[in-house]
Amino acid sequence: MLGVTDIIIFSIGGLFLAVWLILYLKGMKNASLFEPLDEKDYPLKEIYFVGYEALNTVKYAYHSKNDRKLRKEISILYGEKYADYYLRVIHSQQITMALSLLVFAFAMYGLADDIAALAVVVVFAFVAYYYFGTVTSEKILKRSEEMMTDFSEVISKLALLTNAGMIFREAWEEVAYTGDRALYLEMQTAVDEMNNGFAEIDALFRFGSRCVVPEIKKFTSTVVQGITKGNSELSAMLQDQSREVWNLRRQNIKRQGEKASSKLMIPIMIMFVGILIMILIPIFSNIGA
């Protein structure tokens, strides 16, 4: 027989399920909005229209402080043209995953008849909402680290080509198509902008803004100064910049090694505590006997 607690919990669960089903049925018309998304980056994209319909129902404006920050991050990854689209995608993803997990939480309570199971899945729902809201920041961080990994090599190539007598624009284009990682792709975008009528200096400044990384922004400022002073000055500046970036790369590798060492301490401590428990429990058991 169901107790009062069971009735209350099942009533709340039924309400969440009803809301989810209504949003699903009403939002199906918007399913095509999410078809272009990559399944790897956006798991379960087929039901994101549930969250999208929920946001439309409450007439969410997408103008909060967090939305402005998120829109800037999206612009870095996907370009300003698609910022509004991906802002809606991310919020729809958050709402859909969190609401679906909440419905699943009450189903788990019905199967396990244990409020702890309900609590655990509810916590997962809140964690999912938070996690999917921070994925963009994590992507930018990984992108920046990848760019810094390639940056020293790019500057070395540019310094070598300009020192050999090649004008900077030709050297830039030559280097841009030697790789397909984030930094090279942004260089290729700058090449396309130059070919489509952008001034060389403007294209370089836009390149620095898209990359976000302070060291790359400093590099673009140095390059612009060198272009205004002439190719001979630019070659010397690039060589100085190359030496500076290689030093930064060595320091970065050293810091990453220190971080890796500190992370290893966590599993070591867990193993130590586990071994300690395995030793102490038999000892105290024998004392009690």
Side-chain angles (χ1 to χ4, degrees):
M1 186 175 178
L2 294 177
V4 176
T5 302
D6 293 330
I7 294 171
I8 293 172
I9 291 175
F10 284 131
S11 299
I12 296 171
L15 180 62
F16 274 111
L17 178 60
V19 168
W20 193 95
L21 289 172
I22 292 168
L23 292 173
Y24 183 90
L25 295 172
K26 289 181 65 178
M28 285 180 69
K29 61 183 181 292
N30 298 312
S32 59
L33 290 173
F34 305 97
E35 287 179 2
L37 298 172
D38 186 351
E39 184 72 37
K40 182 180 177 182
D41 292 330
Y42 297 95
L44 299 176
K45 65 176 184 176
E46 295 83 3
I47 59 170
Y48 286 1
F49 58 80
V50 171
Y52 186 73
E53 184 62 31
L55 292 164
N56 286 342
T57 301
V58 299
K59 293 181 171 55
Y60 187 72
Y62 303 95
H63 292 314
S64 69
K65 182 179 178 181
N66 183 63
D67 289 337
R68 291 193 293 271
K69 175 177 175 289
L70 189 55
R71 187 178 276 106
K72 288 181 181 178
E73 293 175 345
I74 292 168
S75 298
I76 293 168
L77 290 175
Y78 303 107
E80 294 180 8
K81 182 179 179 181
Y82 300 104
D84 286 335
Y85 170 72
Y86 278 100
L87 180 63
R88 283 162 172 74
V89 165
I90 290 169
H91 280 308
S92 299
Q93 181 187 41
Q94 286 181 282
I95 298 295
T96 300
M97 301 304 281
L99 187 57
S100 299
L101 281 170
L102 284 174
V103 172
F104 180 70
F106 289 98
M108 281 295 296
Y109 177 79
L111 292 171
D113 193 24
D114 188 351
I115 200 164
L118 169 66
V120 168
V121 183
V122 167
V123 169
F124 271 113
F126 284 102
V127 170
Y129 182 86
Y130 172 80
Y131 170 76
F132 288 111
T134 59
V135 168
T136 307
S137 299
E138 292 176 6
K139 286 181 179 178
I140 290 176
L141 181 60
K142 289 179 181 178
R143 176 178 178 269
S144 299
E145 290 174 351
E146 180 186 298
M147 283 184 166
M148 281 304 298
T149 301
D150 296 332
F151 187 42
S152 54
E153 185 178 349
V154 165
I155 293 184
S156 296
K157 290 177 181 177
L158 289 171
L160 182 64
L161 291 173
T162 53
N163 195 45
M166 186 179 287
I167 64 172
F168 179 77
R169 180 166 176 171
E170 291 177 353
W172 181 276
E173 187 168 355
E174 183 76 21
V175 174
Y177 290 95
T178 58
D180 58 358
R181 282 154 64 91
L183 183 58
Y184 293 98
L185 293 175
E186 290 297 348
M187 292 178 72
Q188 292 168 24
T189 300
V191 171
D192 292 338
E193 289 178 344
M194 292 177 199
N195 292 335
N196 290 327
F198 276 88
E200 187 176 356
I201 290 174
D202 291 338
L204 290 171
F205 271 126
R206 287 168 63 86
F207 163 79
S209 298
R210 289 194 304 271
C211 291
V212 181
V213 182
E215 289 81 3
I216 298 179
K217 286 187 175 182
K218 179 183 176 183
F219 160 72
T220 54
S221 299
T222 301
V223 168
V224 169
Q225 291 176 17
I227 290 172
T228 56
K229 292 180 180 179
N231 205 53
S232 59
E233 289 284 342
L234 178 58
S235 180
M237 286 181 176
L238 285 172
Q239 289 177 17
D240 292 339
Q241 189 87 17
S242 179
R243 284 191 291 270
E244 183 180 337
V245 170
W246 276 107
N247 288 331
L248 284 171
R249 184 175 182 181
R250 282 196 292 268
Q251 293 172 10
N252 188 45
I253 291 172
K254 184 179 179 181
R255 283 196 297 269
Q256 288 179 354
E258 291 171 352
K259 285 181 182 178
S261 299
S262 62
K263 286 180 180 178
L264 283 173
M265 290 300 296
I266 297 173
I268 290 172
M269 289 300 296
I270 293 172
M271 290 172 63
F272 173 74
V273 171
I275 292 169
L276 199 62
I277 291 171
M278 290 172 65
I279 294 170
L280 290 177
I281 286 178
I283 292 174
F284 283 110
S285 297
N286 290 332
I287 291 171

